[in-house]
Amino acid sequence: MNDSVTLLAVAVGGRGVVDPAEPVLRADDEALLRGRAAFETIRVYGGTPFKLAEHLARLAGSAERIGLPAVNRLELEQLARQALDAAAAPDAVLRLYWTPTPVALALVSELGDHYDELRERGQRLISLRGVRADEPWLLPGVKSTSYAVNIAAEAEAKRQGADDAVFVDAEGTVLEGPTTNIWWRRDRTLLTPSLDLGILAGVTRATVLELAGESGYAVREGQFGLTALRDADEAFTSSSVREVMPVTELDGTPISRGPAADELQAALRHTAEG
Ligand SMILES: Cc1ncc(COP(=O)(O)O)c(C=O)c1O
């Protein structure tokens, strides 16, 4: 899967829409120097970003935890609108950034069709040792631009012939993917790691929690080992851009496909597209 960003439009606080090729940050912005900025990645359906208020709330929380100036949500909303209008792409990806200077940025990029292709095929995951963010300075639940480790984990998964990774802690507790939350099913119960493991509170995770109930599934959030995932009746990941994505292999062991991923993906699209 190629996750490179193809920009369609950029809007910057205090400037509005700019040529995507133009520089937008000062060289001393700590977003660049130290990866100290908050960001959000949001799926756009028919020109409207899905769950924008929830993403802005998470951005504000991340900024506060990193010690950045308070997020100006109204400014970011306006920049998002300007960038989306300039991009004129109904289905796209919106990224919002808030840096220490502070600079507010809204980026709109192409969605591409590789996610739907991967959904058809199902994704192969490998488990990788990650860090359980169980201390405040490990920034549990914060979405910051210090994502080099997450990107390196994706690259390692691809190097090993898989599509993506799932992080486990030193004891083998399942955490999350580099840019996704993880789920699996046992009979009519969906299982997913709980937020107190320091994982990101995915906006899609919260949506899937609601949709699961409506679709007649029970949900258990908790602390689970890797064998629980490997022995699942089916498994999938969730994220704003990748949506609900079936998992068909973990560390080389096949995992069956099942109905829940397809049902929840359909329900998510139905909710998002109104
Ligand atoms: C580490 C991590 N976990 C989970 C997610 C899924 O979150 P959301 O559903 O809000 O996209 C992301 C999204 O980028 C992430 O980076």
Side-chain angles (χ1 to χ4, degrees), residues 39-43 54-55 58 142-144 147 150 167 175-182 198-207 238-243:
F39 82 109
E40 287 295 319
T41 307
I42 309 161
R43 172 71 148 86
E54 285 83 347
H55 283 282
R58 188 171 67 189
V142 168
K143 197 164 161 72
S144 83
Y147 253 44
N150 302 49
F167 289 126
L175 299 172
E176 63 189 331
T179 61
T180 64
N181 291 112
I182 180 99
I199 60 173
L200 192 75
V203 172
T204 322
R205 181 185 181 281
T207 310
S238 68
S239 88
S240 302
V241 171
R242 296 169 192 221
E243 303 173 286

Side-chain angles (χ1 to χ4, degrees), residues 132-263:
R132 178 161 157 185
D134 52 3
E135 302 288 355
W137 57 88
L138 295 173
L139 299 175
V142 168
K143 197 164 161 72
S144 83
T145 52
S146 297
Y147 253 44
V149 168
N150 302 49
I151 304 304
E154 277 184 23
E156 175 61 17
K158 283 176 186 137
R159 200 188 61 76
Q160 293 191 30
D163 300 298
D164 204 353
V166 57
F167 289 126
V168 295
D169 73 2
E171 281 79 48
T173 301
V174 182
L175 299 172
E176 63 189 331
T179 61
T180 64
N181 291 112
I182 180 99
W183 299 77
W184 58 99
R185 180 179 63 79
R186 267 276 173 208
D187 302 318
R188 296 293 296 173
T189 302
L190 299 178
L191 300 107
T192 194
S194 64
L195 297 183
D196 55 23
L197 293 167
I199 60 173
L200 192 75
V203 172
T204 322
R205 181 185 181 281
T207 310
V208 169
L209 267 170
E210 273 173 35
L211 296 173
E214 289 165 23
S215 306
Y217 292 101
V219 178
R220 258 185 74 200
E221 299 172 78
Q223 180 167 339
F224 307 106
L226 198 59
T227 44
L229 170 56
R230 197 163 40 220
D231 296 344
D233 292 335
E234 71 171 291
F236 56 90
T237 59
S238 68
S239 88
S240 302
V241 171
R242 296 169 192 221
E243 303 173 286
V244 175
M245 187 74 82
V247 174
T248 49
E249 201 180 287
L250 174 65
D251 294 330
T253 303
I255 297 182
S256 316
R257 289 194 76 141
D262 292 344
E263 281 168 35

Side-chain angles (χ1 to χ4, degrees), residues 53-140:
E54 285 83 347
H55 283 282
L56 283 169
R58 188 171 67 189
L59 185 76
S62 297
E64 194 183 333
R65 292 298 322 285
I66 308 171
L68 307 184
V71 165
N72 185 337
R73 295 191 206 192
L74 189 63
E75 179 185 34
L76 275 163
E77 254 181 73
Q78 287 166 348
L79 292 173
R81 194 63 270 154
Q82 290 169 12
L84 286 166
D85 288 348
D91 291 323
V93 179
L94 170 67
R95 287 185 173 78
L96 301 176
Y97 291 84
W98 185 255
T99 85
T101 309
V103 173
L105 292 176
L107 275 51
V108 180
S109 59
E110 276 177 7
L111 180 63
D113 48 18
H114 52 286
Y115 295 121
D116 281 338
E117 284 164 19
L118 189 58
R119 204 178 335 278
E120 285 275 298
R121 165 162 79 71
Q123 53 181 339
R124 295 168 301 225
L125 300 187
I126 58 157
S127 59
L128 292 178
R129 174 83 67 82
V131 174
R132 178 161 157 185
D134 52 3
E135 302 288 355
W137 57 88
L138 295 173
L139 299 175

